[in-house]
Amino acid sequence: MTTGERSTSTCTASTSTSTSTSTTTTPTTATRALARRWAAYLSAEVDAASLAVFRIAYGSLIAWEVVRYVLHDRIYRYYIEPGFYFSFVPFIRPWGGTGMYWHFAALFVLSLLCAAGLFYRVSAALLCAALAYVFLLDKAQYLNHLYLLCLLGLLLAVAPAHRALSLDRLRARRASPAGAPAETAPRLYLFALKAQIAIVYFYGGVAKLNGDWLRGQPLTMWLAEHRGAPLVGPLLATPAAGLALSWAGLLIDLSMGFLLFSRRTFPIGAALAVVFNLSNALLFKIGIFPYAMIASLALFADPSWPRRRLPFLFRSADRPGDGAEVPSPAAGRRRGLPLALLHGYLLVHLAVPLRHWAYPGDVAWNEAGHRFSWRMKLRDKDVSELDVRVLDPRTGVRESLDLEAWLTDRQLGEMSARPDMIVDFAHHVADRWREDFGVRPIVTAKVVASLNGGPYRDLVDPTLDLASQPRGLLAVVQPP
């Protein structure tokens, strides 16, 4: 009996220990299983048809944007006429002579090659690089849609978006009918593009969670400018319309990504996205941004939707099964690096829009952390005074600069409301002054501005030597 009791006691203890160990390891095991399922989900092959449709729309939109630049003489006004550029990267400068015209001609050709899917790997990579070059040339030309096009171009350049509806596909089929690759692509590339679009919407909504937007500003001021529009003009000019549309925009931005990712709510989200973006296109001059967001809806529907809606574009022999995902466990094991890069990319773009919290002051006022953060149509700054002065430390003589002789109208308008650009300009003036007169001057600026109809006040410290302040991301120049 004693022996039996001891044996029973030992078994009980052993069972208890085993249960405890099992309980301890279960979360880790569950986490690993979840990670494996997630990796398998992203690595699975899906129909490349929707990815191809978006590729065509993307290339076509860039081609049309180049045409708009030519029609409005923007190549000359933005990239040839200025004598100084607020470059994001100091060593990046516009091509000399007629080089910028040739650059935009290359952009046009590359965008058409991308849309057609011809020499896609090379043309897509060159298109992304050419876009990034233009984007980095001058902060005065910063546009959210140009930034977005660069990011989408990067994602498309690494995606096999030419496996369907492409001339590369046609060439491969003719060269080897039996050896042409399947019209599928790993889901991770589709997911990356969709996640990027969802981030734009979501952070556009997060940025609207501020006092001015919630009370209807600056949208109320902007809508009042449309009071002369037929039928809806008087309605748009009312404060109630500005407040209602501000809240509607906030709720649409915050919910859009979630609506589009769910199959059940996708039709609602797509309808809202079309109405929302077309309204923005009619009310504001924001280029091709609304149309790019509408084109992105092609990514959120079922990957095989083009085969059902546009069957005449596809050969039945090329149909990848029934359009559903094709399991590829071996491919999942080979895609460890792409999966890691995808998650790293998403983490960066989830963190960057929040960086303004690391800087002192209001981002809408000092602009520190405003760019690359999807803070769209949030502030209206009216500058009542802009006076940049140079003090020669040897003579004590102070003089005001003729800013129109230094900058174009667009550069001057953009700089007047952005402290970091004022600092960049102060450094440029000090460098030129030292080259001409052998001494580096003290550069100060008196800038008085109003934010969203608020009181006028100093935008930067008028007593501070701006030419001695750090540039770039560290250029946070607070007023006294």
Side-chain angles (χ1 to χ4, degrees):
M1 289 292 293
T2 303
T3 304
E5 288 174 359
R6 288 177 181 173
S7 176
T8 302
S9 175
T10 303
C11 286
T12 303
S14 175
T15 303
S16 176
T17 303
S18 175
T19 303
S20 175
T21 303
S22 175
T23 303
T24 303
T25 59
T26 296
T28 302
T29 303
T31 301
R32 290 176 179 174
L34 181 61
R36 285 195 296 269
R37 288 197 296 271
W38 176 242
Y41 171 80
L42 292 176
S43 299
E45 296 282 328
V46 296
D47 198 330
S50 63
L51 189 60
V53 169
F54 179 71
R55 184 204 77 231
I56 295 170
Y58 173 83
S60 301
L61 283 171
I62 295 178
W64 172 238
E65 184 74 339
V66 172
V67 171
R68 292 178 66 245
Y69 267 61
V70 172
L71 293 176
H72 296 284
D73 198 25
R74 292 176 184 170
I75 301 174
Y76 175 78
R77 290 188 293 112
Y78 292 177
Y79 305 110
I80 297 176
E81 179 186 8
F84 166 70
Y85 297 89
F86 296 91
S87 178
F88 283 101
V89 183
F91 59 83
I92 293 183
R93 291 289 185 270
W95 304 112
T98 59
M100 290 307 299
Y101 288 110
W102 287 107
H103 186 90
F104 274 86
L107 264 177
F108 183 77
V109 172
L110 289 170
S111 63
L112 293 182
L113 289 175
C114 176
L118 182 60
F119 311 120
Y120 179 72
R121 286 303 189 188
V122 174
S123 62
L126 291 177
L127 177 60
C128 177
L131 274 176
Y133 167 79
V134 172
F135 174 76
L136 295 172
L137 280 176
D138 197 344
K139 295 177 185 177
Q141 317 309 334
Y142 175 89
L143 293 169
N144 281 294
H145 81 252
L146 184 54
Y147 174 47
L148 178 60
L149 289 176
C150 290
L151 296 179
L152 295 177
L154 174 63
L155 295 175
L156 280 174
V158 299
H162 59 309
R163 290 187 181 174
L165 295 179
S166 72
L167 294 181
D168 281 347
R169 171 74 181 173
L170 182 61
R171 290 193 309 134
R173 185 188 300 137
R174 288 179 176 176
S176 178
E183 294 193 353
T184 61
R187 184 186 276 114
L188 67 94
Y189 298 107
L190 199 60
F191 179 83
L193 289 162
K194 294 194 293 184
Q196 179 63 76
I197 297 297
I199 286 172
V200 174
Y201 277 119
F202 182 72
Y203 277 110
V206 170
K208 291 180 175 63
L209 295 172
N210 65 78
D212 281 350
W213 188 269
L214 295 178
R215 67 182 179 88
Q217 294 293 3
L219 194 55
T220 298
M221 294 190 298
W222 293 337
L223 291 177
E225 299 173 1
H226 297 275
R227 60 171 55 90
L231 299 178
V232 298
L235 177 61
L236 291 176
T238 62
L243 183 62
L245 291 178
S246 293
W247 277 85
L250 166 66
L251 296 175
I252 288 173
D253 274 336
L254 288 176
S255 62
M256 185 57 66
F258 301 100
L259 292 174
L260 294 179
F261 261 105
S262 171
R263 287 191 177 184
R264 291 184 177 180
T265 57
F266 170 75
I268 298 173
L272 281 175
V274 171
V275 173
F276 178 64
N277 284 290
L278 287 180
S279 299
N280 286 335
L282 292 173
L283 292 173
F284 309 112
K285 295 180 180 179
I286 49 180
I288 63 172
F289 186 85
Y291 306 108
M293 299 305 279
I294 292 174
S296 71
L297 295 175
L299 300 167
F300 289 89
D302 184 85
S304 62
W305 73 264
R307 296 185 189 276
R308 297 192 301 272
R309 304 296 183 184
L310 307 168
F312 57 90
L313 295 176
F314 300 88
R315 296 197 329 169
S316 58
D318 290 327
R319 182 180 298 274
D322 60 355
E325 63 185 64
V326 178
S328 182
R333 290 192 296 271
R334 293 195 303 268
R335 295 196 177 103
L337 180 58
L339 288 174
L341 292 175
L342 167 64
H343 290 86
Y345 176 90
L346 294 179
L347 285 175
V348 168
H349 287 276
L350 288 171
V352 166
L354 302 176
R355 74 188 191 284
H356 67 87
W357 292 107
Y359 303 115
D362 180 5
V363 60
W365 179 250
N366 61 32
E367 304 285 329
H370 173 83
R371 299 185 188 91
F372 314 108
S373 300
W374 312 117
R375 302 182 60 82
M376 298 169 285
K377 310 300 289 183
L378 294 176
R379 76 268 193 267
D380 184 284
K381 284 182 183 173
D382 181 49
V383 179
S384 63
E385 181 180 353
L386 174 61
D387 184 19
V388 178
R389 297 185 176 184
V390 177
L391 173 65
D392 190 322
R394 297 173 302 183
T395 64
V397 175
R398 185 188 301 271
E399 64 178 86
S400 294
L401 295 178
D402 179 7
L403 297 178
E404 293 182 352
W406 289 76
L407 302 169
T408 65
D409 290 343
R410 181 175 174 86
Q411 288 179 319
L412 186 55
E414 292 293 314
M415 183 193 76
S416 64
R418 290 164 176 77
D420 69 304
M421 292 179 65
I422 299 174
V423 171
D424 286 345
F425 180 66
H427 277 268
H428 172 64
V429 169
D431 292 341
R432 287 282 303 274
W433 192 279
R434 182 170 56 187
E435 290 176 5
D436 294 342
F437 303 107
V439 62
R440 190 173 181 83
I442 296 172
V443 183
T444 59
K446 177 68 174 177
V447 188
V448 180
S450 166
L451 175 65
N452 295 335
Y456 285 88
R457 53 196 175 102
D458 287 328
L459 183 63
V460 299
D461 186 344
T463 65
L464 193 64
D465 178 14
L466 300 177
S468 65
Q469 300 304 304
R471 304 171 70 172
L473 294 177
L474 300 179
V476 183
V477 189
Q478 296 291 340

